[in-house]
Amino acid sequence: MKPIIHLHDSLPSTNSHLQILAQQTQLPEGYTILARNQTAGKGQRGNLWEARPFENLTFSTLLYPTFLQPQEAFWLNIVVSLAILETLQREFKIAVQVKWANDIFFQDKKLAGILIENEITQQKIEKSIIGVGLNVNQKEFEEKKALSLFQILNQKQDIEVLANRILETFAQKYELLQAAEREKLRNAYLQNLYRYQEWHIFLVEGRKVAGQIIGIDKVGRLAVEMDNKVKYFGLKEIQFL
């Protein structure tokens, strides 16, 4: 995969725009939409992604991961998470982590979010749109748990250069996934997993429970030791407190 970036000054949503383009024509794998201003960016659970114009990185990349079955979709999450993490760790020497399942954290605050939308047919993932929102130069947020690189480093970054570096790393990680180097990817993911092997309080079915994250299973569910047993959780089934 070779990323091909197409810049737009303003779009409602890079994911939605790329979906429409991909329906209209056969785009190459790695085709990427980057918007300097995203007016209605999509987040998890239908939430909007807060991003001030021209201050943050918002992009979406098209993949054709037909080598993956639907139950293996979480591997795409692992690949893009590692691409963001390793780029930020390498470029800025900051201790970022991946918060299961779709966020990048720095010291208990959200630095980036990931939204993956898959098209599935005949028991394989025909098409995948990987959406990324990274807070870069924004100085303040309405959301108390949001954070930007500027707030960490006190220095503005070139957003387009950063996009290229993340996408280059993403292409390398995606090639590892295509080559079935899953154990290497899994180990790197766990080494960077937020609150991994630490005891914390979680909210499960309206109840506060002490638990320790011990890993993820084959389909990406979070494995947590609690109530003297290991329980597995999908998205929306457990909340970090």
Side-chain angles (χ1 to χ4, degrees):
M1 181 195 80
K2 184 177 180 181
I4 306 163
I5 298 178
H6 294 262
L7 289 170
H8 295 259
D9 275 342
S10 184
L11 287 173
S13 162
T14 56
N15 263 37
S16 296
H17 187 75
L18 187 51
Q19 281 179 335
I20 292 169
L21 288 179
Q23 290 168 358
Q24 295 173 341
T25 186
Q26 182 68 27
L27 301 174
E29 190 166 52
Y31 191 100
T32 299
I33 297 291
L34 190 156
R36 296 186 176 99
N37 177 29
Q38 187 172 231
T39 59
K42 293 193 281 185
Q44 289 295 330
R45 303 179 180 90
N47 296 327
L48 293 179
W49 177 260
E50 180 189 352
R52 290 187 182 172
F54 309 103
E55 293 184 359
N56 300 295
L57 173 56
T58 50
F59 71 84
S60 298
T61 298
L62 177 66
L63 300 179
Y64 299 108
T66 54
F67 58 93
L68 292 176
Q69 296 179 353
Q71 64 269 27
E72 298 175 312
F74 195 77
W75 285 101
L76 295 173
N77 192 298
I78 289 175
V79 165
V80 68
S81 296
L82 289 176
I84 299 169
L85 286 172
E86 292 190 13
T87 301
L88 296 180
Q89 290 166 350
R90 181 181 65 244
E91 299 295 327
F92 307 115
K93 308 296 188 260
I94 55 176
V96 286
Q97 294 178 294
V98 55
K99 176 179 172 286
W100 183 92
N102 301 293
D103 297 328
I104 304 299
F105 263 40
F106 176 83
Q107 295 182 355
D108 299 320
K109 289 196 173 185
K110 183 173 178 176
L111 188 59
I114 299 162
L115 178 65
I116 300 177
E117 297 179 297
N118 297 314
E119 183 179 304
I120 296 169
T121 58
Q122 298 179 345
Q123 287 305 302
K124 61 183 178 180
I125 303 176
E126 292 283 352
K127 186 185 301 177
S128 184
I129 292 178
I130 312 291
V132 171
L134 173 62
N135 300 326
V136 182
N137 293 324
Q138 191 163 327
K139 295 181 180 179
E140 56 185 22
F141 296 86
E142 292 182 16
E143 171 55 56
K144 292 181 180 179
K145 283 203 168 184
L147 184 73
S148 70
L149 286 174
F150 180 86
Q151 290 174 316
I152 299 169
L153 304 167
N154 198 31
Q155 182 179 346
K156 287 192 172 184
Q157 306 300 323
D158 187 309
I159 293 171
E160 291 169 28
V161 169
L162 186 54
N164 275 287
R165 288 174 180 166
I166 290 174
L167 286 165
E168 287 169 2
T169 308
F170 177 63
Q172 295 167 7
K173 300 299 178 186
Y174 187 60
E175 288 173 6
L176 286 177
L177 182 59
Q178 289 174 307
E181 296 281 356
R182 297 189 179 189
E183 197 60 28
K184 182 183 294 186
L185 293 168
R186 178 188 177 86
N187 289 339
Y189 183 85
L190 292 179
Q191 287 169 10
N192 289 282
L193 187 59
Y194 177 70
R195 292 186 176 178
Y196 181 53
Q197 296 181 330
E198 299 175 3
W199 285 94
H200 289 276
I201 302 298
F202 298 89
L203 188 65
V204 179
E205 296 180 344
R207 184 170 69 100
K208 291 183 179 179
V209 188
Q212 177 184 214
I213 296 172
I214 61 172
I216 54 172
D217 70 4
K218 292 181 179 179
V219 295
R221 294 184 304 171
L222 191 67
V224 184
E225 181 185 347
M226 56 175 55
D227 296 333
N228 296 315
K229 62 178 71 172
V230 177
K231 298 183 179 181
Y232 297 89
F233 299 93
L235 198 61
K236 302 181 184 180
E237 294 177 349
I238 186 170
Q239 184 179 339
F240 289 66
L241 294 178

